[in-house]
Amino acid sequence: MLFRASLVQQAKTVSHFQKAVLTIGDYLIYVSLALVTVLVLEQLHRGAPWIDLVQFALILIVASIPVAMPAVLSMTMAVGAVALSKRKAIVTRLESIEEMASMDVLCSDKTGTLTQNILTLGEVEIFDADDEQTVLLAAALASRAENGDAIDEAVLEGLKDKSSLTAFHQTAFVPFDPVHKRTEATIQDTSGGTFQVTKGAPQVIMQMVGLSGAEQARAEQVVNAFAAKGYRALGAARKNSSDTAWTFLGILSLFDPPREDSAQTIEEALNYGVSVKMVTGDNVAIAQQIAAKLGLGSNILKADALPVEDDGKDHEESMETVEKADGFAEVFPEHKFAIVKILESRNHICGMTGDGVNDAPALKQADVGIAVSGATDAARAASDLVLSAPGLSVIVRAIEEARRIFERMNAYAIYRISETIRIMLFVVLAMVSFDFYPITAVMIIMLAFFNDVPIMTIAYDRTGLAKNPVRCDRNSVGGG
C-alpha cells in the first residue's frame, strides 16, 4: 500500500494546453519587443521626445500581451465542461479537455467498461469436494451479499439451496483486493465449530493450497479450457480449524458478456484515430477471447512482459512491443502505472480508465485519467474525467465534444495572434514610414479590450469534428 501511495506522489503530468498558452504568450511578447525596439530606435533618431515615446511603447507592449487569453480559453472550456456533463462525463480539471481532444491511445478496463459486469455462473469442476453444491456453498460462505459485488452475486445466485446458508455464521471476512485477488471468511456452524473458506483467482488459490503434480496440471487445464470459451475461473478452498493446510475444493466458471455497444464503440474510436488497449486482471486466454469478440486484435501481453525500470537494461524494443500491443492481461495496479509511463514516453497522449483505490497512481499519471461509473472516491479524486454512465461509448462522445471545444480554442488563439501582429505592424509601420501616431495610447487599450470581450462568444461557436487527434503544435508558434 505504501508503494502505491508513493506512485501517486510520483505521478505528474503537465498540461499540453498550458504549455501552448505560455508559448503563444511568449511568442507575442517577443514579436512586440522586436517591433517596439525598431520603433523606438527610429523615433529617437528623428528626435522624438523620449518620455512620450517610452510611455507609448510601454502601453503598446502591454496591449500586445494576450492577458485575456486565459480568461477566454477558460470560459470556452467551462462551457464545454457543461456540455460534457450532459453527455455523462464530468470534468474535474478543465485542461483535461484539451488532452481528451489530443488523446490517441485509450487503455480501458475490461470488466464493467467493455463487458456488462453481469456475471452468470457456468460449469463447476470438482476436485476435493463431494459435489458441485459443496464447492458453491464454500464460495458462497466466502461472499457477502450486502457488498453488491458481481462475483458474489453470481455465486450466491448459483447456490440451489440458499436456506443452507442459515446454518452458518460469518465471524470474520477479508474482502477482495486487486493485490491478493481473493476473499476469505471465518465461519461458525450451529455446533460451534469453526472453519475458513476462501475464493479467488485460481492461480492464487492453487498456490495457497500448495497444489502440485497431476492435480495442478489438471487445474491449469480446466482454467485454460474455461478461458478458451471466454469464461472467468474462480477457485474455492476450505480449511478446518484443526487443519494446517487448505483443501482445494474446485473451480467455478463465470461468464461476463461484452456490452452490446462495445464493438461498435471501439470501431468509432478507431475511426477517430484513437487506439483502444484492453487492460484486465484476467488471464491471457480470456483477454484474447473477449478481444476477438470486440475486434481489438489478439496481441495481448502478460504483465510480466512489461520492462522493469532502473535495471540498467535497454528497453527500447520492449517499449515498442508495449506500444504495439492490443491489450494487457494479469495486470496489477502498478502495471497500469508502468503502461501509462511507457506510452507517454513514446509521445502518445494516453487515457486510462480505473475504478479502485489502487488505480489512483495510473489515473493521476495519465494525460486523461478516467474514473468509470461506480468508481471509488480515491479514483475520482485522481481522475480528470468522471463518468456517470457505464460503458466505453460515454468516452467516445466525450472525445467528440472535446475536439469541438479544441477547435474553438484554436480559432481564438489564431485570431489573437493575428490581431496582435496586425495592430503592432500597423502602428509601427505608420510611425516609421509616415512619422505620425495613427492611434493614441488610450485607443490601443480600448481596442484590445473591445476585441477580447465579444470574442468570448466563441465558446458557443458551431465547429466541425476532427477525425484525428488534435494537438497544440507549439513549434508552429515560435518554437519551444
Side-chain angles (χ1 to χ4, degrees):
M1 184 60 71
L2 289 175
F3 172 68
R4 289 175 179 79
S6 69
L7 288 183
V8 175
Q9 294 177 346
Q10 293 175 30
K12 294 178 182 178
T13 54
V14 179
S15 167
H16 297 78
F17 167 73
Q18 291 173 333
K19 292 178 183 178
V21 170
L22 291 174
T23 302
I24 292 170
D26 292 344
Y27 172 70
L28 293 177
I29 291 171
Y30 296 148
V31 171
S32 300
L33 286 173
L35 292 173
V36 166
T37 300
V38 173
L39 173 64
V40 170
L41 292 175
E42 178 66 21
Q43 291 298 304
L44 287 176
H45 179 70
R46 291 176 175 175
W50 68 272
I51 294 180
D52 294 340
L53 184 60
V54 170
Q55 181 184 22
F56 184 82
L58 289 175
I59 292 174
L60 193 60
I61 292 173
V62 170
S64 69
I65 297 173
V67 291
M69 180 177 283
V72 174
L73 296 181
S74 294
M75 179 177 177
T76 303
M77 288 189 291
V79 171
V82 174
L84 283 171
S85 68
K86 295 177 181 177
R87 292 178 176 267
K88 308 298 183 181
I90 301 168
V91 177
T92 62
R93 186 173 64 93
L94 283 180
E95 292 84 356
S96 65
I97 293 175
E98 187 264 335
E99 310 287 7
M100 177 72 76
S102 306
M103 184 174 68
D104 60 345
V105 176
L106 173 62
C107 297
S108 173
D109 276 337
K110 177 179 74 68
T111 305
T113 304
L114 298 175
T115 62
Q116 298 179 23
N117 198 26
I118 302 175
L119 296 174
T120 55
L121 186 66
E123 300 174 24
V124 178
E125 187 71 19
I126 301 169
F127 279 73
D128 291 326
D130 296 331
D131 51 38
E132 292 184 2
Q133 289 301 306
T134 303
V135 181
L136 281 170
L137 178 61
L141 291 173
S143 306
R144 270 191 174 175
E146 57 268 27
N147 287 352
D149 181 77
I151 293 178
D152 288 359
E153 290 177 353
V155 170
L156 292 167
E157 186 64 29
L159 189 65
K160 291 181 179 179
D161 184 13
K162 296 179 178 58
S163 62
S164 61
L165 294 173
T166 58
F168 304 95
H169 174 64
Q170 204 176 76
T171 59
F173 182 76
V174 179
F176 177 89
D177 70 76
V179 179
H180 299 98
K181 292 184 177 291
R182 69 184 183 92
T183 63
E184 182 178 322
T186 301
I187 306 297
Q188 186 177 51
D189 58 26
T190 52
S191 63
T194 60
F195 60 93
Q196 292 174 289
V197 287
T198 184
K199 73 176 193 309
Q203 64 271 22
V204 173
I205 303 299
M206 286 189 285
Q207 183 179 9
M208 188 182 69
V209 302
L211 213 61
S212 61
E215 286 291 274
Q216 183 179 3
R218 179 190 163 206
E220 291 174 352
Q221 184 179 6
V222 170
V223 171
N224 292 333
F226 285 152
K229 300 176 183 178
Y231 282 71
R232 298 174 63 180
L234 192 70
R238 170 175 171 150
K239 184 176 75 172
N240 294 323
S241 57
S242 58
D243 298 334
T244 57
W246 288 85
T247 300
F248 189 64
L249 299 176
I251 301 175
L252 300 82
S253 63
L254 300 165
F255 182 62
D256 183 13
R259 294 180 60 86
E260 295 179 356
D261 61 345
S262 288
Q264 181 182 350
T265 303
I266 289 170
E267 185 178 355
E268 289 180 10
L270 292 173
N271 290 336
Y272 285 136
V274 181
S275 64
V276 180
K277 300 182 185 295
M278 181 170 64
V279 181
T280 178
D282 292 335
N283 66 30
V284 174
I286 294 177
Q288 289 176 335
Q289 178 74 10
I290 298 297
K293 291 182 178 179
L294 298 177
L296 280 176
S298 58
N299 183 19
I300 307 296
L301 295 183
K302 288 183 66 173
D304 55 17
L306 296 173
V308 180
E309 293 185 2
D310 304 325
D311 62 357
K313 297 181 180 179
D314 183 7
H315 292 299
E316 183 64 26
E317 185 176 345
S318 298
M319 292 170 73
E320 186 176 350
T321 302
V322 170
E323 185 181 22
K324 294 179 178 178
D326 298 315
F328 307 90
E330 300 179 25
V331 299
F332 288 95
E334 56 266 30
H335 294 137
K336 285 188 174 184
F337 182 83
I339 291 167
V340 170
K341 292 272 284 186
I342 291 169
L343 291 173
E344 289 177 342
S345 71
R346 305 287 292 183
N347 198 34
H348 290 287
I349 304 297
C350 181
M352 172 65 78
T353 68
D355 60 358
V357 174
N358 292 291
D359 292 330
L363 293 174
K364 187 175 180 182
Q365 177 62 37
D367 294 299
V368 185
I370 304 169
V372 298
S373 176
T376 62
D377 291 340
R380 291 169 182 258
S383 300
D384 305 305
L385 203 68
V386 179
L387 306 184
S388 56
L392 201 64
S393 60
V394 182
I395 300 175
V396 175
R397 301 288 84 77
I399 290 173
E400 293 175 348
E401 190 63 37
R403 290 186 184 178
R404 293 189 181 97
I405 297 165
F406 181 91
E407 289 301 323
R408 295 170 190 141
M409 294 192 299
N410 193 48
Y412 170 74
I414 294 172
Y415 157 80
R416 194 63 181 86
I417 293 171
S418 60
E419 183 69 10
T420 298
I421 294 176
R422 181 180 68 84
I423 293 173
M424 291 294 298
L425 285 174
F426 170 70
V427 172
V428 172
L429 287 175
M431 293 184 69
V432 171
S433 301
F434 304 104
D435 194 22
F436 82 100
Y437 288 87
I439 189 171
T440 66
V442 174
M443 291 171 67
I444 292 174
I445 298 297
M446 296 298 290
L447 182 63
F449 175 78
F450 285 116
N451 270 341
D452 277 328
V453 171
I455 201 64
M456 287 189 179
T457 58
I458 200 170
Y460 297 94
D461 272 7
R462 293 181 180 273
T463 59
L465 180 59
K467 288 298 182 181
N468 291 298
V470 287
R471 293 199 193 188
C472 288
D473 185 0
R474 296 183 294 127
N475 294 324
S476 68
V477 285

